[in-house]
Amino acid sequence: MENQSSIKNPSFLWHLARQSIPIGDVRHHRNMALDGTYSLCGGLDSWRHALLECNLAKCVWALEKEDLKAFICQIETPGTRVWLAEVMAALKHEELTRVVVRLWAIWYGRCQALFKNNF
């Protein structure tokens, strides 16, 4: 697949596809957290919340074209692997690159806020 060869951070996408990025619900399921909430907003912390629905994520997605933002948010799938597959299959290379960069930027910003108190 041509789109995947140019992605700069395949490790992040691999972990996302395997639902193994350390998000609240994953950490709680593995007994690494008392509950599955996101400490900055109090919402139930899932991959969808962290990368698409949280106010932090919404601020980043607000910079994107409305039709692209609507498309990625309307995909309702049970897991990240199918969601990523649908995104990769439907988007042009340029759009996919922007989505991946935004996903990683949201994740990076979230880690900076949670672990380094850098807002």
Side-chain angles (χ1 to χ4, degrees):
M1 193 179 216
E2 179 186 303
N3 289 341
Q4 293 178 3
S5 65
S6 63
I7 295 172
K8 300 296 183 197
N9 194 342
S11 175
F12 169 73
L13 288 182
W14 184 82
H15 284 287
L16 180 60
R18 294 184 45 90
Q19 289 188 259
S20 64
I21 56 175
I23 301 224
D25 62 352
V26 171
R27 292 174 55 239
H28 179 64
H29 178 73
R30 295 179 181 173
N31 295 319
M32 297 169 66
L34 295 176
D35 60 24
T37 60
Y38 182 35
S39 61
L40 294 179
C41 72
L44 183 58
D45 199 20
S46 66
W47 73 270
R48 181 172 278 287
H49 175 78
L51 300 175
L52 302 175
E53 298 169 350
C54 183
N55 285 337
L56 171 72
K58 285 181 180 180
C59 289
V60 175
W61 288 113
L63 303 171
E64 186 54 74
K65 294 177 182 175
E66 192 61 38
D67 59 335
L68 180 59
K69 178 175 63 170
F71 170 72
I72 64 163
C73 289
Q74 62 88 24
I75 300 172
E76 293 290 331
T77 61
T80 55
R81 185 176 302 174
V82 175
W83 182 85
L84 279 171
E86 287 189 35
V87 168
M88 288 179 171
L91 298 180
K92 296 176 186 170
H93 176 73
E94 177 189 325
E95 294 170 325
L96 178 59
T97 300
R98 287 198 324 262
V99 167
V100 170
V101 168
R102 288 192 194 285
L103 289 170
W104 185 84
I106 291 165
W107 181 251
Y108 180 79
R110 173 189 163 97
C111 290
Q112 291 292 306
L114 281 175
F115 304 116
K116 296 186 177 183
N117 285 333
N118 186 2
F119 294 92

